Amino acid sequence: MPLEWRLVEAIIERALEEDLGAGDWTTDSLIPENHRTQGTILAQAHGVLCGAEIAMRVFQRLEPAVEFPHALADGAPLAPDMPVLRVAGSTRAILKAERTALNFLQHLSGIATLTRQFVDAIAGTGAQIVDTRKTTPGLRLLEKYAVRVGGGRNHRIGLYDGILIKDNHLMALGGDIREAVQRARQSAHHLLAIEVECTTLEQVRQAIEAGADGILLDNMPLDLLREAVQLAKGRVRFIEASGGVNLQTVRAIAETGVDYISVGALTHSAPIVPMHLEL
Amino acid sequence: MPLEWRLVEAIIERALEEDLGAGDWTTDSLIPENHRTQGTILAQAHGVLCGAEIAMRVFQRLEPAVEFPHALADGAPLAPDMPVLRVAGSTRAILKAERTALNFLQHLSGIATLTRQFVDAIAGTGAQIVDTRKTTPGLRLLEKYAVRVGGGRNHRIGLYDGILIKDNHLMALGGDIREAVQRARQSAHHLLAIEVECTTLEQVRQAIEAGADGILLDNMPLDLLREAVQLAKGRVRFIEASGGVNLQTVRAIAETGVDYISVGALTHSAPIVPMHLEL
Amino acid sequence: MPLEWRLVEAIIERALEEDLGAGDWTTDSLIPENHRTQGTILAQAHGVLCGAEIAMRVFQRLEPAVEFPHALADGAPLAPDMPVLRVAGSTRAILKAERTALNFLQHLSGIATLTRQFVDAIAGTGAQIVDTRKTTPGLRLLEKYAVRVGGGRNHRIGLYDGILIKDNHLMALGGDIREAVQRARQSAHHLLAIEVECTTLEQVRQAIEAGADGILLDNMPLDLLREAVQLAKGRVRFIEASGGVNLQTVRAIAETGVDYISVGALTHSAPIVPMHLEL
Amino acid sequence: MPLEWRLVEAIIERALEEDLGAGDWTTDSLIPENHRTQGTILAQAHGVLCGAEIAMRVFQRLEPAVEFPHALADGAPLAPDMPVLRVAGSTRAILKAERTALNFLQHLSGIATLTRQFVDAIAGTGAQIVDTRKTTPGLRLLEKYAVRVGGGRNHRIGLYDGILIKDNHLMALGGDIREAVQRARQSAHHLLAIEVECTTLEQVRQAIEAGADGILLDNMPLDLLREAVQLAKGRVRFIEASGGVNLQTVRAIAETGVDYISVGALTHSAPIVPMHLEL
Amino acid sequence: MPLEWRLVEAIIERALEEDLGAGDWTTDSLIPENHRTQGTILAQAHGVLCGAEIAMRVFQRLEPAVEFPHALADGAPLAPDMPVLRVAGSTRAILKAERTALNFLQHLSGIATLTRQFVDAIAGTGAQIVDTRKTTPGLRLLEKYAVRVGGGRNHRIGLYDGILIKDNHLMALGGDIREAVQRARQSAHHLLAIEVECTTLEQVRQAIEAGADGILLDNMPLDLLREAVQLAKGRVRFIEASGGVNLQTVRAIAETGVDYISVGALTHSAPIVPMHLEL
Amino acid sequence: MPLEWRLVEAIIERALEEDLGAGDWTTDSLIPENHRTQGTILAQAHGVLCGAEIAMRVFQRLEPAVEFPHALADGAPLAPDMPVLRVAGSTRAILKAERTALNFLQHLSGIATLTRQFVDAIAGTGAQIVDTRKTTPGLRLLEKYAVRVGGGRNHRIGLYDGILIKDNHLMALGGDIREAVQRARQSAHHLLAIEVECTTLEQVRQAIEAGADGILLDNMPLDLLREAVQLAKGRVRFIEASGGVNLQTVRAIAETGVDYISVGALTHSAPIVPMHLEL
């Protein structure tokens, strides 16, 4: 799914607002209004690019007629000193937009890069890397887009577009999975799938019998995970694993036969890919 | 400076909006409206707490009458399994707010924790750790607050509340520092200080002569840095260093006698402090 | 699922805005500021009540301390001259809010009432009445709530929380259902179910083989509908019918064994339930 | 008065928002980004078109460069299978905008069509059909525009642009029409006319003597209505009738000599004019 | 008509926003969070108070629990050193709100004071002072409220709630007043009165014959004005004068027998009533 | 610093909104949709122009294709009957935008004109005229721009971009200037200068010793002011005077050797420069 630009404009606007406020005293004092220049954003590390079009819109917001003689596409591999985006136009506009454009690029490329590492680590296994709702407040749609750019897939976007019955729900209900699935089936609309978080084989069995569409195997040791997969394969539409996932453990988890592995770190702890702008 | 709550409400609102959207099908289907419970947010690692009051407001937004029998204050040290916040009220409200509250807590505590590490690393040197404008789009005010909670200080908030003449400004002007400082002094209002980014001793000399209030020594090797500090000490109001700063290098930089060390990583690459909510 | 009040406040605000604008010249000119009164909203026809709490919020928006000595709950049966809501407080506030409160009540009760008629018409058949996306612009969440109050169920809320492959999608793709389902399965997240609109038995067969979660049988004559149901029953999670549904035809459609019958008229053409306010 | 487009953009934006949310999974999964097509919106019943330009803006909001090889103008008569609007452009944009565009067109054409029926029913009588404040929350300006397109006229837009002294105002004041008119004349600005709702001849007399600009004869039997008109004609600037108005009764009411007949059903209970889009 | 508080909140919010921005560094650095104080706003000149309740809301916005041991009501006469409002609460909140509260008070009291001078100047003549649309952008509703507080009356609020046919309209139409009034009567709703701007007796005659509700005599010398009044008195509902109105000329204008005298200076050029806050 | 257009659009939008509301009944009733005309805004007094580009945007907001055959630039000297701006386009758009465009032009030109008078009055003294935070709520950025256009300079924009320790701050702290400056230096970021308001020589001495960047000499008699300047010159970066400043006193104040003279009247009490539009 592509970015919904309708929603991105407001995010860009707020980012510019918090940096520019009443105006950029330095640039407006120093640089004449009609001064024009060309700048290049350069990567300073290896990684996967994400946010090129967003960065372009940041510059355009301050000067609609700005031009981009060169631009890599999202998903492009990055290396140190590689030109990512070349921008030509009003010097004032370029300098005012610089930091905001870089903040988007570095953050989203960081997420795409980390995602790519997880995706590569399980290449050939048949499993897929998915994200979570552990995102930076206000940036969920962009961060989930960065996961897709990095080769991952999305989990549900929020609480509103999928049913995931978690331990806390079951605890509040006294642990009855059958009852939980039934209530969800009766209340939620029929285009939402129902997934049940399980930590024991007994729960897996109950979820299957209750008619869940999928199961989430949380924090299971590899042996148990394998057993759970064998129990559930073919009896639910999908099997997902989560918990204790890192670049060292992810391949072994994938090889148990799960369909999806969800990784919170993709969006909550990815370090940036450093970049800078040179005039 | 405390958080400006006027501005935080909208950030919380947007964070809830992107998670809740049209509603939480799982919770509303499973949990009866009048079901009440108590939950505890527990730290899962060492660190410095930041965001407790924000998390409380997230819960309150969904149930104004929710209660907090226990709450650590921002700045409190965290350790694994330490209870951070206890919340009692409508089960529906608690489960709907859980993820959003945790996303704020984990992210901001991550920043406060990393800041604290830098601050501790230079203890006793007289230098101070400051942040940058390399923040996550939309969260600058919160992230700069987290830096303060971690014992750091803020740099200017945006382009609108300080003059920092950087290499790109000088390049566009042909490199004339005297001219640049003069223009800034003529145009900008008199309550803004003027700082000049320098990479050579010659630039430091020019900045001092031009009457800059402070200088930013960027990416200088330690020897050069020391020389620059000796040249400028007492002749400008403040000296700041940046570039190549990490937990290994920061103390040596501080010992050169600079007043401030700015660290982009505080806000652009701090890993979260993991936490979870148990009912 | 209950109403998400977070989202309703803005709808109420806009409704008051378009009626009150710069102020109510008549009421403010005639009625002294401290004049207090009690008013009763009375139904003028039979029906199902929907919107009582919304109406209360409308009054409260203009006078937070207003009181409601009597209020029927949403879902209550209405009859001519039946008191729906009694409101006591500032006469100015009551008269200014009157029309907006009634506009919500009448419109939503109209939808709940029509829904109830469809629901009653298929009582005992095992099928359920669901709504569509044919709603009044700006009021979708309220109208879908009214359908639930009337005993119906919701279809997906929008394009973002379910996959429905329709004739126009297939046309653009050259009609290949297998390809369409596969693409949706690859791109969309795994918590969304996939439904395929079918008008022939051949399409039903293809949808089943493609692994659709459900099928929508659109505008099929009863005989064909019955055949399609027999073909699909047990091989997809759900079967839905649409097209040509009215109070005369709906029971026969339900008796074919479909799970859901979607009815656009519920939200696009329900006449209001008339009500008025008496002081 | 033409539509104020300044105000319509926000209504369109909200309508798209509630349908599209985070994105259209079906269309974006199935249809390639550069796929282009042409679609035609066809009427499925007789009626009066309203909303063509609004529908065009809905499509343009998702693809600014979309083209319209054919478009009927608002006010055009509709018949089954008549092409209303032809749209050519990105298939994705057309499919995403389809439902929202149709929802506006069907609803507003429904209002224009019902208005036209009332207008035709009183042709040649000298009376005019006007709307009321009984509109769908959030859509008042559009619905009042649809009434004009159908040949009707507007009553005041809201409480802020006209004085209408109603039964509830009089009740709160003890019934003194003279006092009420006087207060309104003293407080309200001089460019607002004052209309008084009357249900008896005595009230009509009082309103005339009090200097009302017009009277609203509410729910009067035909005989009484005729008497009231004779009493008031030439002594107030206008005479309006309301209450018990339907397509059977409206001509007789018009023939009593009233200037305006206000009809709530125009905006609160008009069934849609069905349309659909074919690729 | 009282202030519509619904609309004032946003104005207050914006005023605080432009003064406070990211926060008040001075106050937050110097004053401890729990420091409490009492402050008094004192008038520094004679005048008429306006804005007391608005000022209170400004303080409350920053500290809901702030108290007001003393407060004059809007309309109260002011004199040098007279206490207007006493506020007790958090020192931080009081100091942060001070300037914004004073800016409202001084500006609105300035308008109320100037209005009172005009009103007093025509005491006993039967004429009334009204405002215009020459208001400060963004503050029209507040400024029109200040005119009422000063004893004046409002003209129409904007272009949307009254018909005023001005010279530029007539020029575009070729000067035909009859045609202009007729078009307005046909298009505009019947609760709007029609006023025609006239500069000659011939125009006055035409306006009367065309059935205008009132006339605006613009920039007429006193003799001509008197003649026009005699021509129109009793044949239109109201007569208004404008142009060349100041405190020296206004009484003579009023004595010509006009009903309303509109004065742009009330809102576009009233000097403030100076006030300050003492702790 | 130029105007930040990002922020001006919303101000223009609100100004149009409060004037146009649901629409301009007069213009839309009288003027045919395709009628085109040309209008000229003429000054009616001497002054300094400010707001020309803003006025152009007001017209463009109602008709993007409107043309301006003639336009003076901000800062241009005005004289009676001088054409300021010529606008050609849709008559409807021009008449609807007229009042709002004029309200901006007259108000901002009034401020620029008064500023120019103060600036001229101190020509050759070395002092500069600066504004204050005593601005009209909602228009601060525009009014501070008008001061610049008139040849003045800005003081800080709000509480967020400068430290000014005032009498009320000192009173709350027990009057200790050293302590106050120290706290500000510790908490506020290093790019904000610190200014201390002083009314005695003793306070001036303390502020210098405390290391203030500048001092504000408030309401000092000329003798004392001269003494204070001599005491502080060269020991602080800047000296500002305020209080009792008018066109009669300002030159003598400037001749004491202060750097800045702040004048509240520039923005709170400037009479408009009258203008009107002729078709």
Side-chain angles (χ1 to χ4, degrees), chain B residues 153-154 161 188-189 191 193 240, chain F residues 153-154 161 188-191 193:
Chain B
R153 289 189 50 172
N154 292 333
D161 65 340
H189 67 73
L191 291 197
E240 177 182 344
Chain F
R153 290 189 50 173
N154 292 333
D161 66 341
H189 67 72
H190 49 293
L191 290 196

Side-chain angles (χ1 to χ4, degrees), chain A residues 153-157 160-163 185-193 195 213 237-238 240 260, chain C residues 130 153-157 160-163 185-193 195 213 237-238 240 260:
Chain A
R153 290 189 49 174
N154 293 333
H155 210 298
R156 59 176 175 170
I157 305 301
Y160 59 84
D161 65 342
I163 308 280
R185 203 61 96 191
Q186 277 167 357
S187 294
H189 68 73
H190 49 293
L191 290 197
L192 296 179
E195 182 173 16
D213 295 286
R237 178 156 64 75
F238 61 84
E240 176 181 345
Y260 303 109
Chain C
V130 300
R153 290 188 51 172
N154 292 333
H155 210 300
R156 60 177 175 167
I157 305 300
Y160 58 84
D161 66 341
I163 308 281
R185 202 63 93 192
Q186 275 166 357
S187 294
H189 68 74
H190 49 293
L191 291 197
L192 297 179
E195 182 173 15
D213 296 286
R237 180 157 63 74
F238 60 85
E240 176 182 344
Y260 304 108

Side-chain angles (χ1 to χ4, degrees), chain A residues 119-195:
Chain A
V119 168
D120 287 349
I122 63 167
T125 62
Q128 293 184 296
I129 299 295
V130 300
D131 54 30
T132 65
R133 288 165 44 240
K134 298 176 181 177
T135 54
T136 316
L139 295 182
R140 184 167 292 173
L141 289 181
L142 296 189
E143 294 184 344
K144 290 202 163 235
Y145 166 72
V147 167
R148 297 196 297 271
V149 165
R153 290 189 49 174
N154 293 333
H155 210 298
R156 59 176 175 170
I157 305 301
L159 295 166
Y160 59 84
D161 65 342
I163 308 280
L164 177 46
I165 300 172
K166 305 185 73 170
D167 53 351
N168 278 339
H169 293 110
L170 291 173
M171 172 140 332
L173 277 181
D176 186 340
I177 287 179
R178 182 186 316 259
E179 169 75 9
V181 172
Q182 202 171 34
R183 286 195 194 180
R185 203 61 96 191
Q186 277 167 357
S187 294
H189 68 73
H190 49 293
L191 290 197
L192 296 179
I194 296 176
E195 182 173 16

Side-chain angles (χ1 to χ4, degrees), chain E residues 131-176:
Chain E
D131 53 30
T132 65
R133 288 166 44 240
K134 298 178 181 176
T135 54
T136 317
L139 295 183
R140 183 167 293 173
L141 289 181
L142 295 189
E143 294 184 344
K144 290 203 164 234
Y145 166 72
V147 167
R148 297 196 297 271
V149 166
R153 291 189 50 172
N154 292 333
H155 209 299
R156 59 177 176 170
I157 305 302
L159 295 166
Y160 58 84
D161 65 340
I163 308 280
L164 176 47
I165 300 173
K166 305 185 72 170
D167 52 351
N168 278 338
H169 293 110
L170 292 173
M171 172 140 332
L173 278 181
D176 187 340

Side-chain angles (χ1 to χ4, degrees), chain D residues 219-240:
Chain D
N219 264 317
M220 284 187 175
L222 280 177
D223 285 357
L224 188 57
L225 192 56
R226 256 186 299 266
E227 227 177 317
V229 170
Q230 272 173 329
L231 183 59
K233 207 77 182 187
R235 303 177 67 194
V236 290
R237 177 156 66 75
F238 60 85
I239 304 174
E240 175 182 345

Side-chain angles (χ1 to χ4, degrees), chain C residues 11 104 107-108 135-145, chain D residues 18 136-139:
Chain C
I11 296 173
F104 278 111
H107 180 67
L108 298 178
T135 54
T136 316
L139 295 183
R140 183 169 292 173
L141 289 181
L142 296 189
E143 294 184 345
K144 290 204 163 233
Y145 165 72
Chain D
E18 69 181 5
T136 316
L139 295 183

